[in-house]
Amino acid sequence: MAAAAAASIRERQTVALKRMLNFNVPHVKNSAGEPVWKVLIYDRFGQDIISPLLSVKELRDMGITLHLLLHSDRDPIPDVPAVYFVMPTEENIDRLCQDLRNQLYESYYLNFISAISRSKLEDIANAALAASAVTQVAKVFDQYLNFITLEDDMFVLCNQNKEIVSYRAINRTDITDTEMETVMDTIVDSLFCFFVTLGAVPIIRCSRGTAAEMVAVKLDKKLRENLRDARNSLFTGDTLGAGQFSFQRPLLVLVDRNIDLATPLHHTWTYQALVHDVLDFHLNRVNLEESSGTETSPAGARPKRKNKKSYDLTPVDKFWQKHKGSPFPEVAESVQQELESYRAQEDEVKRLKSIMGLEGEDEGAISMLSDNTAKLTSAVSSLPELLEKKRLIDLHTNVATAVLEHIKARKLDVYFEYEEKIMSKTTLDKSLLDIISDPDAGTPEDKMRLFLIYYISAQQAPSEADLEQYKKALTDAGCNLNPLQYIKQWKAFAKMASAPASYGNTTTKPMGLLSRVMNTGSQFVMEGVKNLVLKQQNLPVTRILDNLMEMKSNPETDDYRYFDPKMLRGNDSSVPRNKNPFQEGKQGKHILYGCSELFNATQFIKQLSQLGQK
């Protein structure tokens, strides 16, 4: 899903959360006086929304002394107000009513992530009456924040219970109509919250006959119903900071994952994509296991316990922001440069300190040292900055080293280059069977990913005899063939054999090896790893979005449905009423990307495998 829209969704959701934590009064940064101390009670959904946006320190600055899960054992703190941020589920409402009965807090500010139904609101009112706590329930708010913002221009709809809206859930053959309705309603609720937070009503385009169309119909209806009630519409009034938007409304393009199944299987080569592909990377946090050699014991040497480390990769991290989209060898070189520049600064501080120590006692030498004193003062004052720099260098050294280990052990550079050639229909310099049969090249999953990309991208499906040969090689390599079983059915059903998704005709080029990361003093010994330079790929989603934003006529998108929820009369038409291209003034296009769930190739293969089970 993509939208062209003004302002950062990350900023907007953060502002909404800070307002909520400030008892639903706009939060002023430099307001005098101490914040009101309070506790934050959230469920897993609330935790997932807050954690990528607000650090523990920021919560403390907002007066949050404790943040606790709703369903944990909590002690009463009778003289402190509590801010709740939870989904309005049956289970959560029951627990909330129990808190009221147990008189846990001084006052209750109830914030629901999605809109609460009238009947559940009545349940809370009844519980408050029974517990004589009506005056303590200070405010009840629908926050419309049911989505997770990971970056300025990227959000996901679901993390908890994401299997409900997963690719597998939507594509399994035994799904009932009721279950499908639940999936669609879950997606629509999150998208509705997204546009309330964005403060704009989109024009919606989607392909016909897909899950995307079902979402579009429901979302159009929900937006339309909200706009019909002018007094209570969420898209009017000052609360959303109307007037901050460009004159043009956003375009929401809804696409089905099935238009491009090759890309999520593709081995990656940029820093962020590799971290997501090969490490445990979740809601902007990467978890690493570091082994620390062996230790000697009476029973002889045994491996030491692995240390687990977690790092947050956030927009505040300048190195991450600058290099997350860079090819991996460039990242390794940049980490090395940062390390050298840090060491030079550190050496300068040490040198100045030793000069001061050596000559400090000689009266006559003091005046001669005034210049060095100024330098030292300046160096010491920049120490916090230096320490932060060191922390980030250590973080990226550890993360990049862990990625490099995977690249070398699994020959991921070879897979990346080979798959790029398959997707762009370039001549291959090595047969597919050779790579599948090579015991040193990658894991069984890597081999299956490669073969599926070949199978999906092929103009003509391999003959039955060839397919049997491939299947044997894959089985011998330890692969589970269920994902192939599903892709085979999908390709036959989608009649994709005649028109596979086109990925443009660009290829990667190997460049000369990087000097800085090849020398022996480097943290990263990149020997044997290709330095591949990325070329821009014209992926199906990019082309579709481009055609729809530019209002270009194209067979790929001419049949897309058109919805404008602001047009209160009449049904949809496939003819767009807005003929102007979607772009933001002179700044060009601003793209926001969202998905129902964010999975890496391992998780996707698992879903394909479940779908392919007989």
Side-chain angles (χ1 to χ4, degrees):
M1 294 152 223
S8 143
I9 188 64
R10 191 172 178 276
E11 240 170 275
R12 290 182 172 279
Q13 199 176 22
T14 306
V15 166
L17 286 171
K18 285 186 172 178
R19 174 194 288 244
M20 176 192 85
L21 295 173
N22 205 39
F23 304 124
N24 287 294
V25 177
H27 174 62
V28 185
K29 251 187 186 173
N30 299 322
S31 56
E34 282 288 304
V36 177
W37 298 111
K38 46 191 130 29
V39 294
L40 169 63
I41 311 296
Y42 48 32
D43 60 0
R44 294 274 178 210
F45 290 88
Q47 187 180 35
D48 287 346
I49 292 165
I50 291 172
S51 67
L53 296 178
L54 296 170
S55 65
V56 173
K57 184 191 177 301
E58 285 172 299
L59 289 176
R60 203 173 292 121
D61 292 344
M62 296 286 304
I64 302 295
T65 52
L66 271 176
H67 36 98
L68 304 163
L69 282 164
L70 176 66
H71 293 282
S72 60
D73 292 331
R74 290 173 281 117
D75 296 324
I77 315 175
D79 52 349
V80 171
V83 175
Y84 283 73
F85 184 50
V86 296
M87 285 291 271
T89 63
E90 204 72 57
E91 191 188 10
N92 284 352
I93 302 296
D94 288 349
R95 186 60 189 258
L96 206 154
C97 293
Q98 192 183 318
D99 287 359
L100 291 172
R101 284 193 293 275
N102 294 344
Q103 304 271 312
L104 287 191
Y105 307 109
E106 178 191 69
S107 52
Y108 302 81
Y109 292 79
L110 308 180
N111 298 279
F112 294 103
I113 296 169
S114 276
I116 185 171
S117 67
R118 186 171 179 91
S119 65
K120 284 180 181 153
L121 212 49
E122 284 167 2
D123 291 345
I124 295 171
N126 290 333
L129 271 170
S132 308
V134 175
T135 53
Q136 289 167 275
V137 179
K139 285 180 181 175
V140 181
F141 270 87
D142 288 332
Q143 290 293 348
Y144 296 99
L145 291 172
N146 187 17
F147 60 96
I148 301 164
T149 307
L150 296 176
E151 297 181 14
D152 282 352
D153 49 12
M154 182 182 173
F155 63 100
V156 290
L157 303 186
C158 224
N159 179 45
Q160 295 299 320
N161 305 348
K162 60 183 173 188
E163 61 283 354
I164 292 172
V165 296
S166 69
Y167 178 82
R168 175 180 172 261
I170 295 170
N171 289 279
R172 63 193 175 93
T173 47
D174 58 346
I175 189 167
T176 64
D177 288 353
T178 319
E179 285 171 327
M180 192 56 132
E181 285 290 316
T182 307
V183 173
M184 296 301 120
D185 288 341
T186 306
I187 293 171
V188 168
D189 181 68
S190 286
L191 282 174
F192 182 76
C193 290
F194 172 81
F195 284 104
V196 170
T197 306
L198 196 66
V201 180
I203 285 165
I204 306 168
R205 303 295 305 271
C206 69
S207 53
R208 291 177 185 268
T210 61
E213 183 179 24
M214 295 166 77
V215 170
V217 170
K218 279 178 173 284
L219 182 61
D220 174 63
K221 182 169 179 270
K222 190 160 184 161
L223 288 164
R224 209 174 275 272
E225 283 168 358
N226 189 265
L227 288 165
R228 198 172 290 143
D229 184 352
R231 285 175 307 174
N232 293 319
S233 174
L234 294 158
F235 295 95
T236 53
D238 299 329
T239 51
L240 292 160
Q244 292 176 21
F245 306 104
S246 64
F247 56 90
Q248 195 163 31
R249 285 163 59 197
L251 167 72
L252 171 70
V253 179
L254 291 163
V255 292
D256 199 292
R257 176 74 271 161
N258 281 318
I259 66 156
D260 175 11
L261 288 184
T263 302
L265 295 165
H266 187 18
H267 285 87
T268 53
W269 197 236
T270 57
Y271 190 28
Q272 184 178 32
L274 273 164
V275 168
H276 187 228
D277 189 359
V278 304
L279 303 179
D280 175 11
F281 184 48
H282 189 66
L283 298 183
N284 292 350
R285 172 168 290 179
V286 63
N287 299 304
L288 293 183
E289 277 195 348
E290 296 175 333
S291 56
S292 36
T294 58
E295 61 180 10
T296 310
S297 69
R302 65 164 188 255
K304 253 192 176 180
R305 244 194 5 257
K306 288 190 172 180
N307 297 326
K308 286 201 171 184
K309 283 200 169 180
S310 290
Y311 301 110
D312 289 318
L313 297 170
T314 65
V316 182
D317 178 341
K318 289 195 178 82
F319 186 90
W320 178 247
Q321 284 303 94
K322 187 178 176 184
H323 295 289
K324 63 184 181 186
S326 305
F328 185 76
E330 271 180 38
V331 176
E333 172 141 354
S334 300
V335 174
Q336 189 62 31
Q337 281 174 343
E338 291 283 324
L339 191 58
E340 284 167 20
S341 118
Y342 167 77
R343 280 176 183 156
Q345 280 177 280
E346 193 183 37
D347 289 347
E348 178 65 0
V349 174
K350 281 179 187 163
R351 191 182 69 80
L352 291 167
K353 275 184 173 172
S354 73
I355 290 173
M356 295 298 286
L358 284 172
E359 304 183 35
E361 288 176 29
D362 182 349
E363 292 277 324
I366 298 278
S367 57
M368 291 162 67
L369 280 170
S370 60
D371 185 36
N372 278 330
T373 309
K375 277 188 187 170
L376 183 63
T377 309
S378 153
V380 171
S381 67
S382 64
L383 215 51
E385 202 180 304
L386 205 59
L387 289 170
E388 176 59 11
K389 194 174 182 181
K390 176 76 167 82
R391 186 186 72 80
L392 290 178
I393 291 166
D394 287 346
L395 184 163
H396 289 288
T397 301
N398 291 342
V399 172
T401 303
V403 169
L404 182 59
E405 282 169 10
H406 280 271
I407 292 173
K408 286 178 158 182
R410 293 160 54 186
K411 296 192 179 174
L412 297 184
D413 50 339
V414 175
Y415 277 94
F416 169 69
E417 188 180 20
Y418 204 87
E419 288 164 4
E420 289 273 305
K421 285 179 176 173
I422 289 174
M423 289 164 82
S424 57
K425 314 279 186 286
T426 312
T427 317
L428 305 173
D429 50 3
K430 194 176 182 185
S431 90
L432 197 58
L433 270 173
D434 284 351
I435 295 189
I436 293 170
S437 309
D438 180 353
D440 297 327
T443 61
E445 186 189 279
D446 291 325
K447 295 173 196 286
M448 181 49 81
R449 282 165 67 176
L450 171 69
F451 184 72
L452 289 178
I453 289 169
Y454 160 73
Y455 192 85
I456 291 164
S457 309
Q459 292 283 5
Q460 219 170 342
S463 68
E464 276 305 311
D466 284 352
L467 190 58
E468 283 310 311
Q469 202 181 354
Y470 283 126
K471 278 173 148 181
K472 183 183 182 313
L474 288 164
T475 308
D476 291 347
C479 297
N480 169 354
L481 295 184
N482 284 345
L484 174 59
Q485 188 57 34
Y486 172 73
I487 292 292
K488 213 176 157 187
Q489 293 164 358
W490 165 79
K491 198 159 181 172
F493 178 72
K495 297 188 177 67
M496 290 291 286
S498 56
S502 163
Y503 294 91
N505 56 356
T506 57
T507 54
T508 52
K509 273 192 186 161
M511 298 290 283
L513 283 159
L514 296 164
S515 57
R516 198 173 287 272
V517 291
M518 281 305 293
N519 66 40
T520 46
S522 166
Q523 292 282 322
F524 304 96
V525 182
M526 299 284 287
E527 209 162 355
V529 176
K530 293 184 181 184
N531 178 21
L532 299 164
V533 170
L534 295 175
K535 285 284 188 77
Q536 205 164 0
Q537 281 281 29
N538 200 9
L539 298 175
V541 174
T542 318
R543 283 199 311 276
I544 288 165
L545 183 61
D546 197 41
N547 293 337
L548 293 172
M549 286 182 81
E550 297 291 343
M551 296 289 176
K552 291 175 187 165
S553 177
N554 188 291
E556 213 170 7
T557 50
D558 284 349
D559 197 32
Y560 269 50
R561 288 189 70 178
Y562 179 97
F563 298 88
D564 184 350
K566 277 195 170 181
M567 298 200 67
L568 299 180
R569 286 166 187 265
N571 294 324
D572 96 286
S573 144
S574 55
V575 183
R577 293 168 180 81
N578 171 6
K579 295 285 187 188
N580 300 322
F582 286 82
Q583 57 188 42
E584 286 197 354
K586 292 171 190 164
Q587 297 164 353
K589 302 182 186 78
H590 182 109
I591 310 292
L592 296 174
Y593 175 80
C595 53
S596 48
E597 52 154 353
L598 191 63
F599 51 64
N600 63 16
T602 301
Q603 292 156 338
F604 191 43
I605 282 268
K606 191 178 173 187
Q607 292 194 35
L608 296 179
S609 181
Q610 289 166 332
L611 286 165
Q613 276 170 353
K614 287 178 181 167

